[in-house]
């Protein structure tokens, strides 16, 4: 029973938030006359001393006291006596832990937001450096159309910007204070919940005492936002892994982010990217785990909710580490511009440019132009050449109106330069968007 009931092994991570909540609660109790000023001063000093003990690693955690709240409260009573036993007036562990976890998640969001901003800066800076360097764009992992390496990186900047937005929305919604809801019904003491909410940086007190102690959708929303972020990181990690492989050869990572093989001396494995991809499973699993815990719980508090913390702590730690590793890889990777450009021209990647030319210059309906281009691609494939190497006479067999001007659109450089629509891959667009992101992120 002691082993299954105790949470001190993991909820000690809440100690900063627990002490902050207790200090704010004691100050409020003194303000409304429930505590004497002298007792409040002793409590505040005792809590500050306990914080120093925990920081120094000398705090005597006791599993028999179950959780971080009882450990701190018992230590406070040991240090200052009777005033320490008055601290729990007008509150419960139920509103206490709900407050602590909200504070912890809020702090985690702030840290992750800063890390996402750092990763976005790294991507935008690399995008600016490679705004004009062509690479193959894929659909179905098959060559589609040329894009630029900078444009590809900026796609992830957009994704991570939305991730920051989801975390910011989560932070805004979670920023209400449960403290004062007590066990589930509120309290008969004349407390000032607005005061404690302000002291802890919340926007307002939670409006319903039952909801305040039993709600964990803020943690679920955090995990959902974290899971989407981890998914984006995993997609980028997968690309890094592909790009580093010999068949692609698009980028190189230094020894700082790769490892060797125990028996194959030539190997340079992109382990940082593989681990980033792997840690996504932990973050997604955390979301499913907490959803499963919460799905069958009637109001208000149940001890099942003790299982809310480990998934949140683990997901936040995994995501933070993955963000750090990914930002490091972005700054470390060295694209091979020659190789990227060469592959960008393979697989008849300018076929769409040919079809567009037939529409734009000859006035063909797009579906007709599509069929003409398809026949020309088949002829080029049969002859073992790319489209730009097909003789004009061969092209005119498929459509007599084709002129030598068509060759102006069949190069990779011409293809990417032509994509000037808003959000397109033209080097001018990419350079401008990268510069805008760098300014915004500064």
């Amino acid at each position: 029973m002691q082993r299954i009931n105790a949470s001190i092994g993991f909820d000690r991570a809440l100690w900063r938030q627990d002490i902050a909540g207790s200090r704010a609660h004691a100050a409020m109790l003194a303000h409304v006359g429930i505590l004497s000023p002298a007792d409040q001063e002793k409590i505040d000093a005792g809590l500050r001393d306990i914080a120093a003990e925990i920081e120094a690693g000398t705090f005597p955690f006791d599993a028999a006291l179950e959780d971080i709240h009882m450990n701190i409260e018992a230590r406070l009573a040991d240090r200052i006596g009777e005033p320490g036993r008055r601290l729990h007036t007008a509150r419960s562990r139920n509103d206490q832990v709900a407050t602590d976890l909200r504070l912890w998640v809020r702090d985690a969001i702030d840290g992750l937001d800063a890390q996402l901003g750092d990763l976005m800066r790294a991507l935008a800076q690399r995008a600016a450096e490679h705004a004009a360097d062509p690479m193959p764009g894929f659909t179905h992992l098959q060559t589609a159309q040329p894009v630029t390496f900078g444009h590809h990186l900026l796609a992830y900047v957009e994704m991570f910007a939305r991730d920051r937005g989801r975390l910011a929305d989560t932070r805004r919604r979670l920023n209400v204070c449960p403290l004062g809801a007590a066990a589930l019904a509120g309290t008969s003491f004349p407390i000032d919940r607005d005061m404690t909410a302000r002291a802890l940086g919340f926007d307002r007190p939670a409006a319903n005492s039952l909801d305040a102690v039993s709600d964990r959708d803020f943690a679920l929303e955090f995990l959902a936002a974290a899971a989407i972020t981890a998914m984006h990181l995993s997609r980028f990690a997968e690309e890094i892994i592909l790009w580093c492989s010999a068949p692609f050869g698009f980028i190189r990572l230094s020894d700082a982010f790769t490892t060797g093989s125990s028996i194959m001396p030539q190997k340079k494995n992109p382990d940082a990217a593989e681990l980033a991809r792997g840690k996504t499973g932990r973050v997604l699993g955390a979301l499913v785990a907490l959803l499963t815990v919460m799905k069958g719980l009637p109001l208000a508090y149940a001890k099942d909710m003790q299982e809310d913390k480990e998934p949140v702590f683990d997901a936040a730690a995994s995501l933070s580490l993955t963000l750090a590793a990914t930002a490091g890889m972005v700054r470390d990777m060295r694209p091979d511009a020659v190789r990227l450009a060469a592959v960008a021209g393979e697989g008849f990647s300018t076929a769409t440019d040919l079809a567009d030319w037939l529409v734009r210059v000859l006035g063909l309906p797009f579906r007709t132009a599509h069929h003409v281009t398809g026949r020309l691609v088949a002829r080029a494939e049969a002859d073992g050449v790319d489209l730009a190497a097909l003789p004009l006479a061969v092209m005119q067999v498929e459509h007599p109106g084709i002129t030598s001007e068509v060759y102006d659109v069949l190069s990779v450089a011409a293809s990417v330069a032509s994509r000037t629509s808003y959000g397109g891959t033209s080097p001018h667009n990419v350079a401008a968007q990268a510069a805008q992101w760098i300014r915004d992120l500064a």
Side-chain angles (χ1 to χ4, degrees):
M1 177 60 189
Q2 186 181 74
R3 286 181 61 197
I4 198 170
N5 194 49
S7 60
I8 190 60
F10 52 85
D11 72 8
R12 67 178 64 187
L14 297 172
W15 70 266
R16 287 185 179 84
Q17 291 76 24
D18 196 72
I19 287 175
S22 290
R23 292 181 68 190
H25 184 67
M28 180 275 296
L29 292 178
H31 176 73
V32 299
I34 296 172
L35 278 182
S36 69
D39 282 353
Q40 189 265 324
E41 288 177 12
K42 290 177 182 176
I43 288 170
D44 198 70
L47 289 170
R48 283 187 277 111
D49 289 342
I50 289 170
E53 280 188 318
I54 298 174
E55 286 275 17
T58 59
F59 185 88
F61 289 106
D62 185 353
L65 292 171
E66 295 185 20
D67 56 35
I68 188 63
H69 324 295
M70 293 303 294
N71 268 263
I72 289 175
E73 186 176 324
R75 183 62 173 161
L76 182 66
D78 288 344
R79 293 183 68 95
I80 67 171
E82 193 66 22
R85 297 181 179 90
R86 300 184 187 279
L87 174 61
H88 207 54
T89 306
R91 75 174 184 185
S92 161
R93 279 190 292 178
N94 293 355
D95 61 339
Q96 193 177 354
V97 69
T99 302
D100 291 358
L101 190 58
R102 282 179 184 265
L103 289 171
W104 193 96
V105 171
R106 194 176 71 184
D107 290 342
I109 288 173
D110 292 343
L112 292 168
D113 178 77
Q115 286 190 278
L116 277 164
D118 180 63
L119 173 56
M120 291 168 66
R121 278 190 295 275
L123 287 164
Q125 287 160 358
R126 301 312 302 273
E129 295 167 11
H130 299 281
D133 290 340
M135 70 171 289
F138 300 103
T139 60
H140 309 278
L141 206 56
Q142 304 295 312
T143 300
Q145 293 175 265
V147 295
T148 71
F149 193 67
H151 191 59
H152 196 108
L153 296 181
L154 286 179
Y156 284 98
V157 175
E158 297 287 339
M159 293 181 210
F160 294 132
R162 293 192 295 274
D163 292 330
R164 291 183 84 184
R166 276 182 282 271
L167 286 169
D169 288 344
T170 300
R171 191 190 195 285
R172 176 175 55 81
R173 271 185 290 277
L174 74 76
N175 207 36
V176 297
C177 185
L179 203 57
L184 77 162
T187 178
S188 59
F189 289 96
I191 60 173
D192 185 342
R193 294 192 62 208
D194 288 297
M195 179 179 174
T196 46
R198 285 193 304 271
L200 294 170
F202 288 111
D203 295 331
R204 59 178 176 83
N208 182 285
S209 59
L210 285 166
D211 177 57
V213 298
S214 63
D215 160 48
R216 291 299 183 271
D217 61 16
F218 69 92
L220 289 166
E221 189 173 0
F222 168 70
L223 290 175
I228 295 171
T229 305
M231 176 271 296
H232 285 151
L233 289 165
S234 184
R235 293 185 72 181
F236 186 56
E238 173 70 6
E239 301 218 75
I240 290 175
I241 293 161
L242 289 172
W243 294 347
C244 285
S245 67
F248 279 78
F250 289 177
I251 66 170
R252 289 184 64 83
L253 289 173
S254 75
D255 291 346
F257 289 93
T258 58
T259 65
S261 164
S262 62
I263 64 170
M264 294 173 284
Q266 84 282 9
K267 293 295 294 296
K268 197 172 188 180
N269 301 321
D271 282 7
E274 291 175 1
L275 289 164
R277 185 177 59 183
K279 285 193 177 292
T280 301
R282 294 175 67 153
V283 182
L284 272 59
L287 172 60
V288 174
L290 186 52
L291 281 168
T292 306
V293 167
M294 297 300 298
K295 72 174 182 63
L297 299 186
L299 297 180
Y301 182 83
K303 199 60 178 276
D304 312 49
M305 293 166 70
Q306 184 167 287
E307 295 297 313
D308 60 357
K309 295 164 200 65
E310 287 183 285
V312 169
F313 295 163
D314 187 73
S318 295
L319 187 57
S320 177
L321 182 57
T322 304
L323 284 166
T326 305
M329 286 187 287
V330 169
R331 293 187 169 101
D332 181 77
M333 67 183 181
R334 294 294 173 264
D336 185 337
V338 174
R339 171 67 177 162
L340 285 164
V343 180
E346 296 177 357
F348 309 105
S349 65
T350 59
T352 306
D353 298 277
L354 172 56
D356 289 347
W357 186 89
L358 293 171
V359 171
R360 188 171 58 251
V361 177
L362 302 186
L364 271 63
F366 183 79
R367 283 300 167 202
T368 302
H370 187 280
H371 292 314
V372 171
T373 302
R375 291 194 295 270
L376 288 170
V377 167
R379 177 59 185 271
E381 190 171 31
D383 292 350
V385 297
D386 60 27
L387 284 171
L390 278 177
L392 181 60
V394 173
M395 290 194 179
Q396 288 174 335
V397 169
E398 296 299 335
H399 195 285
I402 297 175
T403 69
S404 60
E405 292 179 5
V406 75
Y407 294 103
D408 293 339
V409 303
L410 295 182
S411 71
V412 167
S415 177
V416 296
S418 71
R419 307 295 167 179
T420 56
S421 59
Y422 179 74
T425 192
S426 75
H428 179 269
N429 282 6
V430 175
Q433 289 205 353
Q436 184 63 54
W437 272 118
I438 290 168
R439 287 192 296 271
D440 291 347
L441 291 163

